[in-house]
Amino acid sequence: MANIGMITLDALDEKAASAWWRAVLGGKYLGQYPGFTMISVPGFSARLGFQKVDEITAGKNRVHLDLQASTSREQEVARCTAAGATRVEDHTEDPTFGWTIMRDPYGIVFCISDPHED
């Protein structure tokens, strides 16, 4: 059986994108290779990798990160927006659960959901 070792995200500037995500997630720098940067994220066993690409894929990423707010989705959206992210759109599944689609300053799409129990 295989384990997820890393989730890789495309970025025009992989160093700047990895620094932004380290700050937002409280991660640590793990290493740099030509065109590729890796970070760790507290509480997450897999690494995040940021791969330099010449252009961002048009439309929605095929793989993206879903962040779960610890207390308030609006507070987490505001924190990420203050750090340079852009709010794309909001969704509500039912009165108790919703999520916001965001785009980081480097074009990477991610979501922030309401707090929930697994």
Side-chain angles (χ1 to χ4, degrees):
M1 178 180 297
N3 294 313
I4 296 174
M6 181 164 46
I7 297 172
T8 302
L9 304 167
D10 291 347
L12 296 175
D13 183 341
E14 82 287 356
K15 292 176 185 174
S18 71
W20 191 85
W21 282 98
R22 277 195 320 269
V24 167
L25 297 175
K28 292 184 181 178
Y29 172 81
L30 292 178
Q32 176 73 45
Y33 299 94
F36 200 85
T37 303
M38 292 178 293
I39 68 170
S40 67
V41 178
F44 189 62
S45 61
R47 297 175 300 254
L48 291 182
F50 296 84
Q51 176 175 271
K52 182 173 178 31
V53 294
D54 293 330
E55 60 186 44
I56 295 295
T57 303
K60 187 176 179 186
N61 299 357
R62 298 197 78 183
V63 175
H64 66 274
L65 300 177
D66 285 331
L67 308 182
Q68 178 180 324
S70 57
T71 56
S72 161
R73 174 170 39 128
E74 273 309 312
Q75 287 177 342
E76 194 61 29
V77 166
R79 187 175 76 84
C80 289
T81 300
T86 303
R87 182 184 221 134
V88 176
E89 61 188 46
D90 295 299
H91 295 268
T92 302
E93 192 67 26
D94 63 44
T96 63
F97 183 73
W99 67 95
T100 300
I101 300 173
M102 306 284 293
R103 187 176 301 276
D104 80 5
Y106 307 96
I108 299 170
V109 173
F110 65 101
C111 295
I112 300 173
S113 74
D114 288 319
H116 58 85
E117 294 182 25
D118 292 332

